[in-house]
Amino acid sequence: MFIWPTKTGQIIIGIETYRPFMPCTNNLQTFLPHPSVSDYVSSIVVIENANPHVEIVLPLIANGFPGIAFHSTDNVLTSNGTDKLDNLFVYGQFVKPVEVSTRGRLTFIAYFFHPHVLRNVTGTDGKELTDRCIEVSFFGPIAKTSLKEQLLNATSLHMRISLLDNFIRKLAASHHLSANQTILSATQIMRNGMGLIPLKRIQAELHVTERTFQRLFEFQVGVSPKMFNRICQFHAAFQQVRQHQCSKLSDIAFETGYSDQSHLSRTFKEFTNYSPGEYLKMAAGFQARLR
């Protein structure tokens, strides 16, 4: 997870599968999934804020992981400040940056799915969920249960995690869909290779034609193989920028396969709405206010 400061002083907590790079008074926890759901879930992130006066913003930026999220808050949770989000929703791959926000006390639980299982869990074409947050009740009879009410009435995080684990098992079982091994292998290769391995090499290794690969990938993952490669490359660069792993942006660009610093900056702004410099400047100002 990471903290994303803003010019207005809001506390913004980005949903990630990594440790935060700055201290924060909010309770942020990352869990490995229970073995019974680990075939579907990569990780679980929990955000809890007890301050009724703080505005919390959760940027959903491209990282390659779709998921399901539950929230309980004093006020409504909105997407980009306008669309009200249901307490329990599924989201697909994010290409365009989205800010989910609320004010006051908040519990937010996000289950990050493996990139290749979105259709297996939801029974829906991955492309239909790209850049969208959809109420869970949309996904068939098994989803039209009292789960949302049970989650809202649960008295502990352990109870909520157990309820969500059970729901994901039932939801996946109801569709009788097995994971596509070609797409599973492809997403692993692309993530491990930071999006730099040529698609033709991946297709040859997996013995699949370009047309079939494109069709299967969009159907299962929700974006094209080329876009997923771009997301993996950006994500590798983003981690280095926020963790200050290189002193120069040109070094980060070189390490992550961008042609130059300008190329990295354009991609960074495309996926986050900020340039690397703007992000680092805001981060430095936020750290100074914490001292």
Side-chain angles (χ1 to χ4, degrees):
M1 304 185 64
F2 61 92
I3 297 174
W4 190 287
T6 69
K7 298 173 183 176
T8 59
Q10 297 168 322
I11 297 176
I12 299 188
I13 307 168
I15 302 177
E16 274 292 350
T17 56
Y18 299 85
R19 295 178 62 188
F21 78 105
M22 285 187 255
C24 181
T25 56
N26 296 279
N27 184 15
L28 315 176
Q29 301 177 77
T30 302
F31 301 95
L32 291 175
H34 188 274
S36 66
V37 296
S38 60
D39 284 346
Y40 309 106
V41 181
S42 172
S43 63
I44 303 167
V45 168
V46 178
I47 301 167
E48 294 176 297
N49 170 56
N51 188 333
H53 307 294
V54 170
E55 183 175 8
I56 300 293
V57 182
L58 312 175
L60 302 179
I61 63 171
N63 66 0
F65 296 94
I68 184 171
F70 163 78
H71 70 89
S72 173
T73 180
D74 288 342
N75 297 292
V76 297
L77 192 72
T78 61
S79 172
N80 288 339
T82 56
D83 298 329
K84 180 181 176 181
L85 291 173
D86 190 71
N87 294 94
L88 187 62
F89 63 89
V90 169
Y91 58 92
Q93 292 284 343
F94 277 96
V95 177
K96 302 173 184 177
V98 174
E99 288 188 348
V100 174
S101 60
T102 190
R103 176 176 290 276
R105 288 177 287 264
L106 169 72
T107 296
F108 189 92
I109 304 173
Y111 274 56
F112 292 92
F113 295 145
H114 297 295
H116 66 283
V117 303
L118 183 59
R119 183 173 180 273
N120 305 90
V121 175
T122 65
T124 303
D125 183 340
K127 289 180 66 175
E128 294 185 16
L129 299 176
T130 299
D131 285 322
R132 296 180 67 188
C133 298
I134 298 180
E135 186 177 341
V136 163
S137 60
F138 172 82
F139 300 101
I142 191 68
K144 297 177 181 179
T145 65
S146 59
L147 175 64
K148 183 166 63 176
E149 288 71 25
Q150 291 174 337
L151 287 166
L152 289 169
N153 293 328
T155 56
S156 70
L157 176 60
H158 175 74
M159 290 175 62
R160 284 170 167 164
I161 295 292
S162 296
L163 285 167
L164 285 166
D165 283 351
N166 188 50
F167 174 71
I168 289 171
R169 287 193 297 269
K170 289 182 177 179
L171 188 61
S174 70
H175 299 301
H176 306 289
L177 298 172
S178 58
N180 185 291
Q181 294 301 310
T182 297
I183 302 305
L184 184 160
S185 298
T187 54
Q188 290 178 337
I189 292 170
M190 295 159 86
R191 288 175 54 210
N192 292 338
M194 299 190 304
L196 302 180
I197 300 176
L199 295 178
K200 288 189 180 298
R201 186 189 303 176
I202 297 173
Q203 293 161 18
E205 182 175 335
L206 299 177
H207 307 288
V208 61
T209 66
E210 179 179 358
R211 183 175 181 180
T212 298
F213 187 54
Q214 177 90 11
R215 177 180 57 81
L216 286 175
F217 207 96
E218 292 184 351
F219 191 54
Q220 298 284 338
V221 179
V223 294
S224 70
K226 182 178 179 180
M227 176 56 72
F228 192 78
N229 247 354
R230 290 191 65 219
I231 290 171
C232 292
Q233 184 184 17
F234 157 72
H235 195 251
F238 180 83
Q239 296 306 315
Q240 291 199 28
V241 169
R242 72 177 186 85
Q243 294 172 359
H244 300 273
Q245 291 181 356
C246 292
S247 58
K248 297 180 180 178
L249 288 177
S250 57
D251 292 339
I252 296 177
F254 175 78
E255 291 289 336
T256 53
Y258 289 97
S259 57
D260 52 31
Q261 181 177 328
S262 296
H263 186 195
L264 169 60
S265 296
R266 289 194 303 272
T267 302
F268 199 98
K269 192 156 191 174
E270 174 188 351
F271 285 122
T272 69
N273 284 333
Y274 293 94
S275 71
E278 289 170 335
Y279 169 73
L280 291 173
K281 183 178 180 179
M282 289 187 293
F286 186 78
Q287 285 178 311
R289 292 197 297 272
L290 289 176
R291 296 190 183 102

